[in-house]
Amino acid sequence: MFSLLSKYQCAKELGLPIAAFIALLLFSAIFTYFCPESGWSTFFAILPLIPAIWAVRTTVRLVKQMETMLQEQQLVNFATSFVVVGLVTFTYGFLSCFADYPSLPLILVAPLMVAVWVVTDLLAKRRNK
């Protein structure tokens, strides 16, 4: 995704917040599962947002370090992922309302957007070779 920057720099700068997010997510899921009546459940449920915000900040900073042409390509990739995920969730919303499909958990929207962003980036790199 960040072709101007070294793979190791991106892995180092994004790896730590992602690892912290996964660790806090597992911890908060275990805590809220075993102590659902605790007054701390709400705090621990939103605790993984701290490294998630850190990862977003790091991603924006890494994109700002790119050349202008690569920044524009990332904007196109992000806009494409936004529209694709919007259409998918909108369509699934119709299916859940009118065709008795189970509702889609909102927690899946952001990872789906990131996955589509990565796929569009790979397709753009392949197309521009």
Side-chain angles (χ1 to χ4, degrees), residues 5-102:
L5 304 170
S6 74
K7 292 178 190 175
Y8 301 110
Q9 180 184 3
C10 291
K12 184 178 81 172
E13 293 192 25
L14 281 175
L16 191 58
I18 291 172
F21 172 77
I22 292 170
L24 285 176
L25 184 64
L26 290 173
F27 174 74
S28 68
I30 291 168
F31 181 84
T32 54
Y33 179 78
F34 287 112
C35 303
E37 302 299 320
S38 171
W40 289 94
S41 292
T42 303
F43 172 75
F44 284 113
I46 63 172
L47 192 60
L49 290 177
I50 295 169
I53 292 168
W54 180 18
V56 168
R57 183 177 170 269
T58 303
T59 302
V60 169
R61 191 172 48 78
L62 290 172
V63 169
K64 283 176 131 180
Q65 292 176 358
M66 293 178 168
E67 294 176 355
T68 305
M69 185 181 84
L70 293 174
Q71 285 179 345
E72 289 177 9
Q73 184 60 50
Q74 289 303 318
L75 177 63
V76 169
N77 295 341
F78 180 73
T80 303
S81 70
F82 183 84
V83 170
V84 167
V85 171
L87 285 173
V88 167
T89 56
F90 193 66
T91 302
Y92 197 84
F94 277 120
L95 292 173
S96 67
C97 284
F98 304 120
D100 293 330
Y101 278 61

